[in-house]
Amino acid sequence: MEYLLIACFGAALFAFIFLSGRVLPSERWQMMASVPLFKNPDGMWQALNLTWYGVLSALAYTLATAVAVVLLGSVGMGILGLVLMVAGMLGLCIPAAKIVARLVEGKPNTLSVGGAAFVGIVVAPFVASGVVRLTGSGAVLPALAALAIAYAVGEGVGRLACLSFGCCYGRPVDTLAEPWKGIFSRWNVVFHGGTKKAAYAHDLCGRRLVPVQLMTAYLYCAAACLGMIFFAAGSFSMAMIVPLVVTQVWRVLSEFFRADYRGRRKISAYQIMAGVGVFYGLVPALLLTAYGAAVNFGQGLAALWNVPVLLLLQGVFLVVFLYTGRSSVTGSKIRFFVKEGEI
């Protein structure tokens, strides 16, 4: 049953990524709604933009949380441990996305998934060890493997948010050398709309760009599914190593294809963090053991269908959406009127 569930989950993920890659770069899929705040003297309302970036980011965090809950529950971690583990990791990683970006890039309204990932890799062994000791349920290595897999799923889906906002974009295809130019002439992303970050930051609206976001989404979700297979087989070290190595090594490599601002150095701070994170994360993966830990996905799904956990998932979605979905770099004006023909 475990492998069938993994296959179905993977197929749904890849179908969602494929569909998103076709529609999200368009101008229509950047702003989800605008909320009027105050009225201007000209009669127009100044509004706050709510973005699909926020919706997709919230979906990514929520999905990653659900995956972590299922995997942790499948190896016997109780509800208290699940809530503490998720709350501890998200409570540290969500603020880190903005704090690290501000330190590295010097911009107050930028988020860095790479920075949040590095903080997560550093603190995960301590959070997992503390929760296991406090609750007396679960084991540290399976917990770390579950977190690594959940992170890969979360960032893989989260990269679709970048497609919507036009950030984390790749280099123009026509600037590449062969064979990359030929490869990405057939597979690329074209952003439309002046409010996409690729447009206002580097004037790349309408140009064919390397599809870094889609490449990352496919690769990370594939690594997560492979990690789940190892997890289901009880090979927790490999279940942790595969998504950890794939995500962090790709972060180092993928930045050579990116055109957005990553700092002034040739090797960015995010690449250094990713490289350090690989070696740091391999230590517990290679040293820890989990003898006797059995995996039961049915038990994990039962842990997911629980009132405290469902409330936690709803809370995660709401908090992340409010944190990432309120656009600080775009604005809008709204005019309300009566449709005379409908009275």
Side-chain angles (χ1 to χ4, degrees):
M1 182 185 77
E2 282 80 4
Y3 300 108
L4 178 60
L5 288 173
I6 294 170
C8 293
F9 180 70
L13 276 181
F14 295 141
F16 183 61
I17 294 170
F18 177 79
L19 177 62
S20 298
R22 296 179 69 90
V23 302
L24 290 178
S26 69
E27 188 173 12
R28 163 67 182 83
W29 290 95
Q30 183 174 1
M31 308 303 175
M32 184 196 73
S34 292
V35 179
L37 300 177
F38 56 87
K39 197 171 186 179
N40 294 327
D42 62 359
M44 302 283 284
W45 285 83
Q46 198 72 33
L48 169 70
N49 291 332
L50 302 178
T51 63
W52 284 106
Y53 179 96
V55 174
L56 291 166
S57 295
L59 175 64
Y61 272 95
T62 305
L63 183 60
T65 302
V67 168
V69 167
V70 171
L71 295 179
L72 291 169
S74 70
V75 290
M77 181 166 283
I79 297 299
L80 177 60
L82 294 175
V83 173
L84 290 176
M85 185 80 72
V86 170
M89 292 301 299
L90 293 182
L92 292 169
C93 292
I94 292 176
K98 178 170 286 191
I99 294 171
V100 175
R102 180 173 294 185
L103 292 174
V104 173
E105 303 177 38
K107 298 179 180 180
N109 297 315
T110 300
L111 300 175
S112 167
V113 176
F118 178 72
V119 171
I121 291 171
V122 171
V123 303
F126 301 101
V127 173
S129 178
V131 170
V132 169
R133 290 183 180 181
L134 180 64
T135 62
S137 64
V140 175
L141 181 58
L144 292 176
L147 293 176
I149 294 168
Y151 159 71
V153 171
E155 184 164 358
V157 175
R159 283 301 172 186
L160 302 179
C162 302
L163 275 180
S164 171
F165 202 77
C167 59
C168 305
Y169 43 91
R171 293 167 57 186
V173 173
D174 55 22
T175 66
L176 300 176
E178 296 292 352
W180 305 113
K181 185 175 182 179
I183 293 172
F184 293 118
S185 292
R186 294 185 290 271
W187 186 34
N188 51 71
V189 168
V190 179
F191 290 110
H192 300 281
T195 55
K196 298 280 191 180
K197 188 175 181 180
Y200 65 75
H202 279 105
D203 195 26
L204 294 176
C205 181
R207 295 183 64 180
R208 294 182 301 171
L209 307 178
V210 176
V212 174
Q213 305 95 328
L214 283 174
M215 295 161 68
T216 303
Y218 281 119
L219 183 61
Y220 282 21
C221 289
C225 290
L226 184 56
M228 289 180 191
I229 293 173
F230 282 116
F231 195 95
S235 182
F236 301 113
S237 291
M238 287 300 297
M240 179 181 177
I241 289 171
V242 169
L244 173 69
V245 172
V246 169
T247 56
Q248 300 312 298
V249 170
W250 174 246
R251 180 171 294 282
V252 174
L253 297 177
S254 65
E255 292 211 5
F256 293 115
F257 290 101
R258 288 175 62 166
D260 58 325
Y261 181 74
R262 314 301 294 158
R264 295 195 175 115
R265 293 180 295 182
K266 186 174 182 179
I267 302 297
S268 74
Y270 298 116
Q271 289 172 299
I272 295 172
M273 290 179 198
V276 172
V278 170
F279 293 103
Y280 180 91
L282 285 176
V283 174
L286 296 174
L287 294 182
L288 295 176
T289 58
Y291 293 117
V295 179
N296 184 336
F297 275 18
Q299 181 176 304
L301 290 171
L304 183 65
W305 195 250
N306 188 287
V307 172
V309 172
L310 292 175
L311 291 175
L312 174 66
L313 294 176
Q314 293 176 39
V316 169
F317 187 94
L318 182 61
V319 168
V320 174
F321 174 70
L322 292 177
Y323 189 72
T324 64
R326 298 175 298 165
S327 178
S328 300
V329 297
T330 66
S332 59
K333 293 182 179 180
I334 299 175
R335 182 171 67 91
F336 297 102
F337 60 91
V338 175
K339 299 166 69 174
E340 297 292 344
E342 301 296 327
I343 298 176

